[in-house]
Amino acid sequence: MHFDPWNPEFVAHPYDVYAELRRERPVSFFEPTGQWLVARHADVNTLLRDRRLGRSYLHVAGHAEFGRPDDPEFQDPFWRVIRAGMLDVEPPVHTRLRRLVSKAFTPRMVEALRPKVARLAGDLVDRFAERGGGDLISEVAEPLPVTVIAEMLGVPEADRHLLRPWSADICGMYELNPSVEAQHTAVRAASEFSDYLVGLARARRADPGDDLISALAQVTDDGDTLTEEELVGTCVLLLNAGHEATVNVTGNGWWSLLRNPGELERLRADHGLLPTAIEELMRWDTPLQMFERWVLEDISVGGVDIPRGSEVALLFGSANRDPEVFDDPDRLDVGRRDNPHISFGAGIHFCLGAPLARVELAESFGALLRRAPKMELAAEPEWGPGYVIRGLESLQVRI
Ligand code: HEM
């Protein structure tokens, strides 16, 4: 097999192909997407921190200068929302947006949320266990992070069912070479989501509550504030980034444990291993398999010259199995101590929600370990179609 992100077999087992890439072609051109694949941990880690690359190039050049076509007009509503959030901009705009939003995500703020997250996780797991199990993804993995981020932002309970489908449709655009249909679906979802949030933001600006949308709509001490477009872009980003990967770490993580019964037993016997186990599950089966960067100035990676205007695809899933960095990398070791995995990224776009994600994962894995100490697989799970955002369709378990 070779690197083939549209092939379900590759998506299910990408790690042998990654090993071959790291050994034989650590930096290689991938014709079908026109990107340079980067497979080694050292290179991925360095490039994420290298300011000669960016998530966007639009702050330094137009599409034509980078040899790219203009965005088709029908995609306007999508790009307006996406490029108003911090993830798709570079400094100085990125610095400003991240500063305005980051106050809500400091480790201290997030630690204060722990009792609430623990209560939510406990309730979900109690109900799941009382039913004797079911689909762990739709009944525990999804509702926990969706509820947490929706409550933080102040999205009314009655509207929360809308969030997951909007988010999933928008994320379709992040896969490699999305179909025209997926593009239209993403544009429609971005429009609807944005209209919804404009309404909510206006209501909160007029009548502030004790929630993050109200806080983000206020002017800060130094007189800065988010524009309405930035506020909407930020909320869409937080709602999407705030749950997609967490759902997949929960699903992929339990599937990894169930496939490695020795490690599951070790964790069941010693819940004190939970913090290292969660980091290891994020490393061993990486939920976001790759992230892209534009090359803003000529660079050289592992002896390969990559000119300005190129795009690199940083293979996080491969970096996380690199034997240069991890001892016995293909082994799942819930007690692994030295674990510089790259699943939260690195550099200026390092995941803003990492402390929150860690709290959510610790509480949901912890609740399941305590409440369902004999949980077992009820059916062989299937991978969803996504490669970039990679997760199981469902995970049927028996308690
Ligand atoms: C286990 C769960 C999560 C994983 C694996 C994850 C992973 C990532 C990664 C890899 C990036 C950087 C992307 C890049 O450099 O191109 C990122 C950025 C981001 N994440 Fe997370 N994330 C998780 C959970 C969360 C949560 C819970 C939130 C918020 C509530 C969140 C909010 C963000 C934001 C706002 C950014 C953009 C940061 C910036 O551009 O400066 N993430 N995440």
Side-chain angles (χ1 to χ4, degrees):
M1 206 173 8
H2 54 279
F3 183 82
D4 184 357
W6 302 283
N7 175 353
E9 263 176 68
F10 170 78
V11 172
H13 304 286
Y15 297 107
D16 291 343
V17 173
Y18 290 158
E20 198 183 311
L21 283 177
R22 281 192 310 268
R23 252 187 344 256
E24 284 160 29
R25 281 165 294 133
V27 181
S28 60
F29 192 70
F30 184 56
E31 201 71 51
T33 58
Q35 295 169 319
W36 292 89
L37 305 178
V38 178
R40 286 186 179 158
H41 187 286
D43 293 333
V44 171
N45 191 29
T46 304
L47 293 181
L48 281 170
R49 297 162 197 271
D50 189 333
R51 298 294 305 285
R52 293 174 300 170
L53 292 91
R55 292 250 340 162
S56 169
Y57 52 78
L58 293 172
H59 57 304
V60 292
H63 291 302
E65 198 187 329
F66 261 53
R68 308 281 151 179
D70 283 336
D71 300 322
E73 216 174 299
F74 80 92
Q75 292 181 358
D76 274 359
F78 177 86
W79 290 116
R80 258 206 317 278
V81 173
I82 298 305
R83 293 191 182 127
M86 75 184 86
L87 183 56
D88 282 81
V89 290
E90 290 295 305
V93 182
H94 173 266
T95 320
R96 188 183 139 255
L97 293 179
R98 184 150 172 141
R99 185 173 51 81
L100 284 167
V101 182
S102 59
K103 291 188 189 111
F105 288 93
T106 59
R108 217 185 74 223
M109 293 287 285
V110 168
E111 206 42 53
L113 289 172
R114 189 183 287 273
K116 189 178 211 170
V117 177
R119 208 165 42 245
L120 280 169
D123 291 349
L124 284 168
V125 168
D126 279 349
R127 280 198 301 259
F128 189 59
E130 275 156 24
R131 282 194 297 272
D135 175 17
L136 183 73
I137 308 256
S138 61
E139 296 180 52
V140 179
E142 274 177 12
L144 180 65
V146 173
T147 308
V148 170
I149 190 68
E151 287 205 356
M152 273 181 92
L153 281 161
V155 175
E157 204 171 337
D159 301 337
R160 288 186 197 155
H161 65 281
L162 297 164
L163 303 176
R164 181 88 183 133
W166 277 335
S167 170
D169 288 348
I170 288 175
C171 287
M173 198 79 145
Y174 290 112
E175 294 302 329
L176 295 168
N177 296 355
S179 69
V180 175
E181 193 195 335
Q183 295 174 32
H184 280 282
T185 305
V187 172
R188 196 177 332 108
S191 270
E192 288 175 13
F193 205 171
S194 163
D195 289 347
Y196 171 79
L197 285 165
V198 166
L200 195 58
R202 287 187 186 162
R204 292 296 146 74
R205 226 187 262 266
D207 182 16
D210 182 21
D211 55 60
L212 190 51
I213 297 188
S214 301
L216 290 172
Q218 304 305 310
V219 178
T220 60
D221 299 341
D222 56 5
D224 196 6
T225 189
L226 296 172
T227 64
E228 183 165 273
E229 204 157 73
E230 289 167 347
L231 181 58
V232 168
T234 298
C235 292
V236 169
L237 173 63
L238 289 174
L239 286 162
N240 289 2
H243 80 273
E244 289 289 345
T246 318
V247 173
N248 289 337
V249 175
T250 314
N252 302 2
W254 274 103
W255 171 221
S256 304
L257 288 169
L258 292 161
R259 270 182 294 169
N260 289 272
E263 290 304 293
L264 178 53
E265 280 322 308
R266 216 178 136 198
L267 182 59
R268 281 177 170 156
D270 180 3
H271 294 188
L273 289 172
L274 201 49
T276 50
I278 284 170
E279 301 304 313
E280 176 69 345
L281 294 171
M282 291 186 58
R283 178 193 76 83
W284 195 73
D285 209 2
T286 310
L288 301 163
Q289 287 281 318
M290 68 163 245
F291 274 96
E292 295 145 326
R293 288 292 187 271
W294 292 101
V295 178
L296 309 177
E297 288 172 40
D298 297 351
I299 55 171
S300 172
V301 188
V304 178
D305 291 333
I306 304 184
R308 171 182 160 95
S310 313
E311 197 180 19
V312 293
L314 308 175
L315 303 179
F316 284 24
S318 171
N320 280 341
R321 296 277 190 118
D322 191 334
E324 293 288 323
V325 176
F326 304 99
D327 288 339
D328 204 357
D330 293 329
R331 181 173 158 240
L332 180 75
D333 170 5
V334 294
R336 191 182 289 272
R337 293 247 152 242
D338 189 18
N339 191 351
H341 70 71
I342 214 134
S343 299
F344 284 122
I348 64 166
H349 292 285
F350 179 83
C351 179
L352 183 69
L356 178 61
R358 288 185 164 121
V359 167
E360 291 174 346
L361 292 166
E363 294 306 328
S364 81
F365 275 79
L368 277 161
L369 284 173
R370 285 188 300 274
R371 191 69 179 77
K374 296 207 168 110
M375 186 168 86
E376 58 183 22
L377 201 62
E380 198 66 14
E382 300 224 338
W383 289 98
Y387 161 69
V388 176
I389 301 175
R390 177 166 167 277
L392 299 172
E393 291 281 12
S394 71
L395 183 62
Q396 298 292 337
V397 294
R398 233 184 334 260
I399 294 178

